[in-house]
Amino acid sequence: MDSQAERHRLESIAQHSLYAHGASGLSVRHSYSIVERFLRDGSILELGAAEGVMTNYLARRGQPLTIVEGSGRFCADLRARFPQCEVVHALFEEFEPGRAFDNIVLGHVLEHVDDPVRILARVRSWLSERGRVVASVPNARSLHRQAAVSLGLLQFEEELNDLDRHHGHRRVYNPETFRRDFRAAGFTVETFGGYWIKPLSNQQLDSTWTDEMIQAFMQLGERYPDIAAEIYVVART
């Protein structure tokens, strides 16, 4: 990986990030309701905080929180908003914490990185003996992606769409490939789940649905993880 090129790529994405807006922002907020079920007491490491939607909830817990973010633009904002937290401007491939963490949160990280198994292997070395990783990614098997294939808008479910490219995604996981990468990195997967039954694109939802409707379908998705728009894993060493 070319570190300089990767930093430039991340800064370009940060200039026009949409993760905190509309249905995407609601998704991150709902994902915290999942994450908090599995958090242990002790330290927290958040990788890829971006606009800090998840950070806002993690910081309220009062546990020691370290944030690693590859965009300098985002880091400056995070330091201003969360002075009680340690904010580290670094690529995940280069971060060296020098200590272990009891909780590591990867919200929409693994679809962005060059080598997810390599990142997960590094993350595994940063966990305390009792530590857990909670990670979430978009699901290629989501209903809206399946519909896009039927309509000819995508050739196959894992193909990158326009929003994927805008976010800087390098891949779209399905439930099997998501769990596969954790196991390849030496993790034991404790829990697999999902949230958000998503029949339409974000643009369509933002223009026609209320926040309450979107939230209801996020909760509904927890019953049907294989076809939910977002999937998550809880893993330990």
Side-chain angles (χ1 to χ4, degrees), residues 28 34 59 62-63 77-78 96 98 142 183 186 201 220 223 227 231 236:
V28 179
I34 305 289
Q63 297 170 239
D77 179 63
L78 292 164
E96 297 289 349
S142 173
R183 291 173 180 140
S201 70
L220 182 63
R223 298 185 182 183
I227 58 170
I231 49 179
R236 58 175 174 81

Side-chain angles (χ1 to χ4, degrees), residues 163-181:
L163 190 59
D164 289 317
R165 287 186 284 271
H166 179 92
H167 286 321
H169 295 173
R170 286 183 160 114
R171 65 193 56 79
V172 188
Y173 280 103
N174 63 46
E176 290 77 32
T177 57
F178 189 35
R179 289 178 290 211
R180 175 204 65 195
D181 279 2

Side-chain angles (χ1 to χ4, degrees), residues 19-36:
Y19 271 125
H21 300 284
S24 291
L26 291 172
S27 174
V28 179
R29 293 180 182 93
H30 188 80
S31 70
Y32 174 73
S33 74
I34 305 289
V35 169
E36 69 174 344

